[in-house]
Amino acid sequence: MSMDENNRTDAPDKTAGTTGTTGTAGTLTTTTTTTTTAAVTAAATRYPVAPGHRVNVRSGPSTQYPIVRTLPLNATVSISCQKYGEWISGPYGTTKIWDSIAPGEYVSDAYVRTGSDGFVAPRCA
């Protein structure tokens, strides 16, 4: 990843919110909700693939795995989980992090602009 991306701070894993309502007797009823922010954010966030690159999608986290398909120019991907694999150098640095974009489909994080040198999604099992 580029040097300007090193200053990113990650959101906490969980957020809790409290909402209050006033009942008919004038008592305050409090409800607390907890959301796993990382899982919700990872599923909803799409990350751009490096401009000008058609990135190979592989069946595992290494160039030794077969190519499943190739992403088109200007593609964006949603990352369901990440894992360590083969070291790859690309437009966003050198990394061994691979992004799972669908079951059995991985791309090197060196070609995906996540804004971080580390994990932005849960680790794959």
Side-chain angles (χ1 to χ4, degrees):
M1 303 295 144
S2 66
M3 294 301 288
D4 64 324
E5 295 170 344
N6 289 333
N7 295 328
R8 182 177 180 271
T9 58
D10 290 329
D13 288 339
K14 296 185 184 250
T15 57
T18 303
T19 58
T21 58
T22 304
T24 56
T27 59
L28 180 66
T29 305
T30 304
T31 308
T32 302
T33 57
T34 303
T35 306
T36 305
T37 305
V40 172
T41 302
T45 303
R46 295 195 64 84
Y47 300 97
V49 173
H53 291 274
R54 290 193 168 110
V55 177
N56 290 329
V57 178
R58 296 186 176 270
S59 62
S62 164
T63 58
Q64 300 303 307
Y65 286 89
I67 296 171
V68 176
R69 62 186 173 112
T70 302
L71 297 175
L73 293 175
N74 304 315
T76 61
V77 295
S78 129
I79 302 171
S80 57
C81 63
Q82 295 174 297
K83 71 187 320 182
Y84 289 120
E86 178 184 355
W87 284 97
I88 300 292
S89 292
Y92 300 118
T94 300
T95 186
K96 64 180 181 174
I97 297 175
W98 286 70
D99 306 329
S100 176
I101 60 170
E105 295 188 359
Y106 293 86
V107 294
S108 172
D109 197 58
Y111 286 88
V112 180
R113 184 167 175 74
T114 62
S116 173
D117 287 338
F119 285 79
V120 297
R123 289 194 182 190
C124 300

